Amino acid sequence: GAVVSQHPSRVICKSGTSVKIECRSLDFQATTMFWYRQFPKQSLMLMATSNEGSKATYEQGVEKDKFLINHASLTLSTLTVTSAHPEDSSFYICSAGIPANEKLFFGSGTQLSVL
Amino acid sequence: GQQVMQIPQYQHVQEGEDFTTYCNSSTTLSNIQWYKQRPGGHPVFLIQLVKSGEVKKQKRLTFQFGEAKKNSSLHITATQTTDVGTYFCAGKNTNAGKSTFGDGTTLTVKP
């Protein structure tokens, strides 16, 4: 089946630094990728839709200048958490879908801890 | 906007008992998907339902899509410890480019 690779799996950083998370579709092309945030024992909160070659579409309440998304190729989308603060600590997951059947394949997630 | 509600939030069962989670949408859906997330893991696609009244089975799992395409259910027969995890439904509107996830139902199975 399709594979989505997400790196890093875990990152610890100091407050004020920026963190980049990569999401790659390994064996298929993904014109659209999705970024989610998940708090412990809670659901997936869609943050933004990443579109290859164009600007990302952010959900209401998500700061686009805080969470920078770049989808430069059909197999790579990146999420940069800028000037991270402790309240940004969370589990971030990406997903990509194969347009033909629309099912989503998820990356393994990134646990971000901001000290 | 579209809302997808899922109940119950938690379900604790004895191994061998059945389990059902329900998903309800505020709007008519073009399709609904179900995912399973094991503790510490990421969501994994289980199935997609498209047709009104559709019923699909995967071994001990039975998935249903309501006639009005606004609700769905996942039923597990004779649960096993390997069934533990959180089950999410995700509904998609005809005109939407994204799916809306329910809050999930976390299943624990006592041996």
Side-chain angles (χ1 to χ4, degrees), chain A residues 49-88:
Chain A
T49 302
S50 173
N51 305 297
E52 188 270 334
S54 64
K55 292 183 179 180
T57 304
Y58 290 82
E59 295 300 304
Q60 190 173 8
V62 178
E63 301 175 57
K64 60 180 180 181
D65 295 329
K66 172 75 172 177
F67 300 98
L68 299 178
I69 292 174
N70 184 281
H71 195 153
S73 76
L74 287 171
T75 59
L76 173 65
S77 175
T78 61
L79 168 67
T80 301
V81 183
T82 62
S83 186
H85 291 285
E87 57 265 30
D88 297 325

Side-chain angles (χ1 to χ4, degrees), chain A residues 34 99 101-103, chain B residues 2 4 25 27-33 48-49 65 69 89-101:
Chain A
F34 301 94
N101 55 24
E102 299 183 41
K103 64 181 180 182
Chain B
Q2 180 190 11
V4 176
S25 170
T27 59
T28 302
L29 302 170
S30 59
N31 67 54
I32 194 158
Q33 299 172 340
Q48 176 171 282
L49 304 172
F65 201 8
K69 300 183 73 173
C89 62
K92 185 175 180 180
N93 272 338
T94 304
N95 298 321
K98 60 189 186 222
S99 295
T100 300
F101 279 80

Side-chain angles (χ1 to χ4, degrees), chain A residues 32 34 36 38 41-44 46 49 59 91 93 101-109, chain B residues 9-10 31 33 35 37 40-45 48 88 92 97-99 101-104:
Chain A
T32 302
F34 301 94
Y36 308 83
Q38 187 177 35
K41 299 185 178 182
Q42 294 191 22
S43 187
L44 299 158
L46 180 66
T49 302
E59 295 300 304
F91 191 56
I93 313 178
N101 55 24
E102 299 183 41
K103 64 181 180 182
L104 298 173
F105 297 93
F106 284 82
S108 55
Chain B
Q9 186 176 3
Y10 299 99
N31 67 54
Q33 299 172 340
Y35 294 82
Q37 185 175 20
H42 60 277
V44 174
F45 175 85
Q48 176 171 282
F88 293 99
K92 185 175 180 180
K98 60 189 186 222
S99 295
F101 279 80
D103 288 337

Side-chain angles (χ1 to χ4, degrees), chain B residues 8 28 33 39-42 47 50 53 60-61 67 73 87 99 103-105:
Chain B
T28 302
Q33 299 172 340
H42 60 277
I47 210 160
V50 179
R60 293 179 294 104
L61 276 62
E67 293 291 340
S73 65
Y87 293 84
S99 295
D103 288 337
T105 297

Side-chain angles (χ1 to χ4, degrees), chain B residues 11-94:
Chain B
Q11 186 76 59
H12 311 284
V13 300
Q14 191 78 34
E15 188 173 22
E17 292 181 339
D18 293 353
F19 158 76
T20 305
T21 172
Y22 300 90
C23 188
N24 291 287
S25 170
S26 58
T27 59
T28 302
L29 302 170
S30 59
N31 67 54
I32 194 158
Q33 299 172 340
W34 286 91
Y35 294 82
K36 177 183 179 180
Q37 185 175 20
R38 293 181 183 274
H42 60 277
V44 174
F45 175 85
L46 293 177
I47 210 160
Q48 176 171 282
L49 304 172
V50 179
K51 299 177 182 177
S52 169
E54 187 171 16
V55 178
K56 287 188 176 180
K57 291 188 175 183
Q58 290 180 350
K59 298 182 180 179
R60 293 179 294 104
L61 276 62
T62 302
F63 303 84
Q64 291 187 324
F65 201 8
E67 293 291 340
K69 300 183 73 173
K70 296 181 72 174
N71 56 72
S72 180
S73 65
L74 158 59
H75 179 81
I76 302 178
T77 303
T79 55
Q80 300 175 359
T81 54
T82 53
D83 295 326
V84 297
T86 301
Y87 293 84
F88 293 99
C89 62
K92 185 175 180 180
N93 272 338
T94 304

